[in-house]
C-alpha cells in the first residue's frame, strides 16, 4: 500500500506558472539553454552595436537611462500596490463574509475583462474629469488596479490549493480562522505563488510600456521621441527591444530561483 | 477496570448528522466516555466513525443532539468551539502536519498562539513531548524529511502540547506503511496506560484495542450497533452485523 501521507501536497499545483514566461529552471535544459543564448545575444548586441556603430547606437543608449529609471519606477510602485491589493482582495475572495466576497470577486471579474490600455485612459482621462491626478500617479494606480486583480486570482487559487486538512488541523488545535490563515495558510501560499507572482512582475514590466501613452517618459517613450526626431526607427526600436529583453530575461532567472527554492522544506 | 474516579469526561446525546439531505452519517448516536477511558470505534467505511469524531470538536456541526465535555454543554458558536478545541486533541489519518514549519514549530504553534505560553517554555515542553514520542533528534526536521510513522508521532506530540483532556484519533495508522504502524501504536498505548489519557480511537488495529481499550464500539450506517470490552466484542459478538464485519476484516 503506497501511503497516501507521502503525497506531496501542493508541489506542482501551479499550472499557471509557465503560462506567460518560459522559466529557466535547472530541470528544464532546453529552456535554460534558450535563456542563456538569448541573454548572451541581447547583452552582446547592447554592448557591441554602440561600439561598432556609435552613430546612432551610442546616442540612443545615452538618452535611454532615465527612461529605464521611469520604467522601473512605474513597475515597482505598481507592483507593490498591486501586491497589497491582490493579497487583500484574494483574502476577500475566500472570506466567509458574503458581501466582501462578492465585492472582491466582482472587482476581479470586471478588471480582468477590460484591456489595460482602456483602464489607463479611464483613470487618467475619464476620471480625470473629477479628480485630476498627475500622469505618473494615474498610471501607477491603473496598473496596480489591473494587476491587483490578476494577483488576487493567483492568491485565491493558491490559498484554495492548500489541502483542507491544514485548516482543519489548525482549527482543531484551537486557532481561530484568522490565526489559521495567518500562521498556516498564508505562509504556504506565499511559497506556492512566488513563481506566478514573479511572472506577473515580468508581465507588468512589459505592459508598463503602455504608460508612455500618458506622456510618461519611460523607456518606450524616450525611444519613440528619439526615433521621431532622428528618423532612426530601426536602430532605436532594436535597442529598446534588446533592453526590454535583457531586463525580462534577468527577471525570469529570478523567478526560476524562487521556483526552485519553493519546495526546499520538502526533502 | 476503572479504579476510583469514574467521572464522565464526554457525554454525547442523540447526535444526528445528515449530509446533503440524504446521507445519514449519524443517527441518534449516544455515547459516554469516562475519564481515563479508552474507547475504540470500529465499523465499515462510511459508517459515520469520522463524522462522530469530528462532531466532538465541531469540525462537523451536528444537525441535532448535544455534546458535553465534563459537565459543560458545547455550544456550537465559534468562541465556545475554540475553547473546547483547546481541550480536545485530534490526530488525523493524513497527519496534517504544517509542512512549512519544523517539527518543533509544529508543536509550539498552538501553545504560543492560543494559550500565549512563552516560547522558551513551550519549547521546553515540546522537547519533553518529543522524548515521549521518541523523536528527540527530529526537532529541527521539516515534515517532508520525516517518514509517515515519524510524522504521525509528531502530530500526536503537537496535539498533546495543548494538554488536552481528551484525545481523538481518526484512523491514525491507516495511511502508514505496515512497518511503521507499531511505532505509532506504541506511543498510543503508552498514552493510554502510563499517562491515563482519555482517548477515542477509530482504528481497526485489533492488537491495539486488545492492549489498551476498555471498550470497543461497533458502528454501522450511522448507528452504534454494539458496545463491549475488546475480548468480548472480538470473540463473542452478539449482533449479526458485528459478526459479519469482523469476519470481513479478520
Ligand atoms: N463532507 C461530507 N459531505 C458529504 N458527505 C459526507 C461528508 N463527510 C462524510 N460524508 C458521508 O457520510 C457518511 C459517513 O462518513 P464518515 O463519517 O467519513 O465514515 P467513516 O469514517 O466511518 O468511513 C459517508 O456516507 C460519507 O460519504
Ligand atoms: Mg473515516
Amino acid at each position: 500500500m503506497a501511503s497516501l501521507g507521502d503525497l506531496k501536497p501542493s508541489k506542482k499545483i501551479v499550472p499557471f506558472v509557465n503560462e506567460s514566461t518560459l522559466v529557466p529552471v535547472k530541470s528544464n535544459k532546453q529552456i535554460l539553454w534558450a535563456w542563456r543564448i538569448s541573454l548572451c545575444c541581447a547583452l552582446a548586441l547592447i554592448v557591441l552595436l554602440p561600439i561598432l556603430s556609435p552613430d546612432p547606437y551610442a546616442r540612443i543608449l545615452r538618452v535611454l537611462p532615465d527612461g529605464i529609471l521611469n520604467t522601473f519606477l512605474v513597475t515597482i510602485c505598481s507592483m507593490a500596490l498591486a501586491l497589497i491589493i491582490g493579497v487583500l482582495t484574494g483574502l476577500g475572495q475566500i472570506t466567509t463574509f458574503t458581501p466582501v466576497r462578492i465585492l472582491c470577486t466582482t472587482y476581479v471579474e470586471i478588471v480582468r475583462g477590460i484591456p489595460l490600455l482602456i483602464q489607463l485612459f479611464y483613470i487618467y482621462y475619464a476620471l480625470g474629469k473629477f479628480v485630476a491626478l498627475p500622469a505618473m500617479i494615474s498610471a501607477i494606480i491603473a496598473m496596480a488596479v489591473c494587476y491587483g486583480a490578476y494577483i488576487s486570482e493567483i492568491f485565491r487559487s493558491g490559498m484554495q490549493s492548500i489541502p483542507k486538512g491544514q485548516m482543519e488541523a489548525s482549527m482543531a488545535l484551537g486557532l481561530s480562522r484568522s490565526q489559521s490563515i495567518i500562521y498556516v495558510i498564508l505562509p504556504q501560499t506565499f511559497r506556492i505563488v512566488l513563481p506566478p507572482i514573479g511572472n506577473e512582475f515580468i508581465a507588468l514590466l512589459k505592459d508598463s510600456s503602455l504608460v508612455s501613452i500618458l506622456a510618461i517618459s519611460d523607456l518606450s517613450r524616450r525611444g519613440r521621441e528619439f526615433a521621431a526626431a532622428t528618423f532612426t526607427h530601426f536602430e532605436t526600436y532594436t535597442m529598446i527591444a534588446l533592453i526590454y529583453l535583457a531586463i525580462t530575461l534577468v527577471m525570469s532567472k529570478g523567478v526560476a530561483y524562487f521556483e526552485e527554492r519553493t519546495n526546499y522544506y520538502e526533502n | 477496570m476503572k479504579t476510583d474516579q469514574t467521572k464522565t469526561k464526554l457525554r454525547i446525546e442523540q447526535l444526528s448528522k445528515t449530509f446533503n439531505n440524504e446521507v445519514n452519517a449519524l443517527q441518534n448516536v449516544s455515547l459516554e466516555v469516562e475519564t481515563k477511558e479508552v474507547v475504540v470505534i470500529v465499523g465499515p467505511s462510511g459508517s459515520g466513525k469520522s463524522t462522530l469524531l469530528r462532531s466532538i470538536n465541531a469540525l462537523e456541526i451536528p444537525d441535532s443532539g448535544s455534546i458535553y465535555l465534563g459537565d459543560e454543554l458545547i455550544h456550537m458558536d465559534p468562541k465556545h468551539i475554540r475553547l473546547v478545541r483547546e481541550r480536545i486533541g485530534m490526530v488525523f489519518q493524513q497527519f496534517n502536519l504544517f509542512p512549512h514549519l519544523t517539527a518543533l514549530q509544529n508543536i509550539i504553534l498552538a501553545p504560543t498562539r492560543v494559550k500565549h505560553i512563552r516560547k522558551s517554555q513551550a519549547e521546553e515542553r515540546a522537547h519533553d513531548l518529543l522524548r515521549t514520542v521518541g523523536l528527540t533528534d527530529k526537532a529541527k526536521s521539516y515534515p517532508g524529511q520525516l517518514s509517515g510513522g515519524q510524522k504521525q508521532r509528531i502530530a500526536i506530540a503537537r496535539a498533546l502540547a495543548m494538554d488536552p483532556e481528551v484525545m481523538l484519533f481518526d484512523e491514525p495508522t491507516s495511511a502508514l506503511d505496515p512497518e511503521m504502524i507499531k511505532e505509532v501504536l506504541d506511543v498510543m498505548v503508552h498514552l493510554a496506560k502510563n499517562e491515563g489519557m482519555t482517548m477515542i480511537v477509530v482504528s481497526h488495529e485489533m492488537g491495539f484495542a486488545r492492549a489498551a481499550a476498555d471498550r470497543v464500539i461497533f458502528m454501522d450506517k450511522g448507528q452504534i450497533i454494539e458496545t463491549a470490552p475488546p475480548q468480548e466484542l472480538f470473540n463473542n459478538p452478539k449482533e449479526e452485523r458485528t459478526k459479519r464485519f469482523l469476519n470481513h476484516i479478520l
Side-chain angles (χ1 to χ4, degrees):
Chain A
M1 179 180 60
S3 82
L4 276 169
D6 291 334
L7 273 182
K8 299 272 158 65
S10 73
K11 183 145 195 175
K12 281 296 160 207
I13 316 182
V14 198
F16 35 70
V17 170
N18 289 326
E19 245 170 44
S20 66
T21 317
L22 293 175
V23 177
V25 286
K26 291 202 181 76
S27 53
N28 194 332
K29 286 256 158 34
Q30 195 176 329
I31 293 176
L32 189 56
W33 273 108
W35 177 83
R36 284 178 182 145
I37 293 169
S38 335
L39 185 62
C40 287
C41 291
L43 290 178
L45 285 171
I46 290 171
V47 174
L48 289 180
L49 285 176
I51 294 173
L52 299 178
S53 164
D55 191 27
Y57 287 109
R59 286 170 58 210
I60 296 170
L61 216 46
R62 243 172 281 129
V63 301
L64 296 183
D66 47 312
I68 296 178
L69 277 184
N70 275 331
T71 289
F72 279 135
L73 183 68
V74 172
T75 305
I76 288 167
C77 292
S78 312
M79 190 65 193
L81 203 53
L83 274 174
I84 295 169
I85 296 175
V87 173
L88 292 180
T89 58
L91 284 167
Q93 285 198 79
I94 61 158
T95 178
T96 48
F97 185 54
T98 310
V100 170
R101 197 175 61 241
I102 291 176
L103 194 72
C104 292
T105 312
T106 310
Y107 151 72
V108 169
E109 285 307 317
I110 291 177
V111 166
R112 293 200 310 167
I114 302 172
L116 176 55
L117 184 60
I118 302 303
Q119 291 181 45
L120 276 167
F121 285 157
Y122 203 85
I123 288 188
Y124 187 57
Y125 295 116
L127 293 186
K129 218 179 122 185
F130 310 103
V131 262
L133 292 171
M136 189 62 134
I137 304 289
S138 297
I140 289 171
I141 291 176
M143 306 269 301
V145 166
C146 178
Y147 273 81
Y150 291 98
I151 290 170
S152 178
E153 262 308 280
I154 292 174
F155 261 95
R156 182 197 56 72
S157 60
M159 280 186 278
Q160 288 180 338
S161 75
I162 307 291
K164 219 171 125 243
Q166 292 289 308
M167 191 68 172
E168 285 189 346
S170 174
M171 304 273 275
L173 285 165
L175 279 83
S176 68
R177 205 181 134 80
S178 46
Q179 282 181 317
S180 303
I181 288 175
I182 292 169
Y183 299 119
V184 174
I185 305 299
L186 279 183
Q188 296 184 58
T189 306
F190 283 126
R191 286 184 158 91
I192 297 178
V193 301
L194 261 178
I197 297 260
N199 278 334
E200 290 301 313
F201 200 179
I202 295 172
L204 196 153
L205 181 121
K206 290 186 288 182
D207 275 352
S208 76
S209 64
L210 286 172
V211 306
S212 59
I213 292 208
L214 303 188
I216 292 169
S217 310
D218 73 327
L219 179 55
S220 312
R221 176 95 186 180
R222 268 318 175 91
R224 186 144 40 110
E225 285 165 357
F226 186 84
T230 57
F231 299 103
T232 52
H233 292 95
F234 176 81
E235 294 84 349
T236 308
Y237 284 117
T238 300
M239 210 58 188
I240 287 181
L242 287 171
I243 290 173
Y244 272 116
L245 183 62
I247 295 172
T248 56
L249 284 171
V250 169
M251 287 171 76
S252 72
K253 190 65 186 170
V255 173
Y257 171 76
F258 281 124
E259 187 158 317
E260 277 154 0
R261 250 182 53 115
T262 305
N263 299 299
Y264 75 93
Y265 52 80
E266 293 170 357
N267 298 313
Chain B
M1 195 153 298
K2 287 291 139 188
T3 47
D4 44 320
Q5 48 178 164
T6 45
K7 195 166 171 296
T8 304
K9 173 56 73 182
L10 193 72
R11 193 161 89 242
I12 296 165
E13 284 177 359
Q14 300 286 313
L15 210 63
S16 294
K17 173 76 182 179
T18 304
F19 286 108
N20 311 325
N21 295 323
E22 47 173 8
V23 187
N24 293 319
L26 292 178
Q27 305 183 52
N28 293 320
V29 172
S30 297
L31 171 67
E32 283 195 21
V33 180
E34 286 164 14
T35 304
K36 301 194 176 188
E37 195 180 11
V38 176
V39 175
V40 166
I41 303 177
V42 299
S45 166
S47 57
K49 307 180 297 295
S50 295
T51 307
L52 175 59
L53 231 52
R54 292 161 56 82
S55 300
I56 294 172
N57 67 357
L59 286 180
E60 228 53 91
I61 304 295
D63 301 331
S64 62
S66 28
I67 303 172
Y68 296 83
L69 181 59
D71 300 324
E72 200 181 333
L73 176 68
I74 301 178
H75 302 283
M76 290 297 165
D77 72 81
K79 273 242 172 64
H80 194 238
I81 285 173
R82 271 186 70 184
L83 290 174
V84 167
R85 283 176 180 151
E86 287 181 36
R87 299 165 58 192
I88 301 179
M90 184 152 192
V91 173
F92 301 84
Q93 183 177 350
Q94 297 301 334
F95 329 128
N96 297 345
L97 288 181
F98 307 131
H100 61 298
L101 301 178
T102 61
L104 189 80
Q105 292 168 331
N106 264 276
I107 296 171
I108 66 167
L109 178 68
T112 52
R113 297 299 176 187
V114 178
K115 286 194 168 169
H116 304 290
I117 292 173
R118 256 186 301 116
K119 193 170 167 227
S120 56
Q121 204 181 330
E123 283 180 348
E124 208 170 296
R125 172 99 169 94
H127 284 292
D128 289 344
L129 288 166
L130 284 170
R131 200 166 314 121
T132 306
V133 300
L135 290 171
T136 34
D137 52 334
K138 298 294 181 190
K140 293 205 165 69
S141 302
Y142 285 94
Q145 301 165 318
L146 301 173
S147 73
Q150 292 170 335
K151 281 185 208 169
Q152 195 61 299
R153 286 187 281 156
I154 297 292
I156 293 172
R158 178 177 69 175
L160 290 174
M162 291 296 278
D163 291 315
E165 297 164 37
V166 182
M167 283 282 283
L168 310 175
F169 294 82
D170 193 357
E171 308 210 26
T173 57
S174 314
L176 297 178
D177 292 333
E179 72 271 17
M180 293 172 184
I181 291 177
K182 187 171 174 298
E183 64 191 53
V184 172
L185 292 181
D186 285 348
V187 170
M188 292 168 60
V189 171
H190 168 82
L191 276 184
K193 291 285 167 197
N194 305 12
E195 316 256 334
M197 179 60 75
T198 308
M199 294 165 52
I200 306 179
V201 182
V202 173
S203 172
H204 294 156
E205 294 293 335
M206 302 268 182
F208 171 78
R210 286 181 200 274
D214 298 301
R215 272 190 294 160
V216 178
I217 291 175
F218 171 66
M219 277 186 78
D220 192 20
K221 302 204 171 75
Q223 290 173 314
I224 292 179
I225 306 298
E226 187 169 353
T227 306
Q231 312 301 342
E232 207 176 307
L233 191 119
F234 292 145
N235 300 346
N236 305 304
K238 300 216 162 37
E239 301 289 330
E240 198 51 45
R241 276 198 266 179
T242 318
K243 282 178 201 163
R244 245 183 292 135
F245 172 73
L246 290 173
N247 283 336
H248 192 71
I249 64 164
L250 284 176

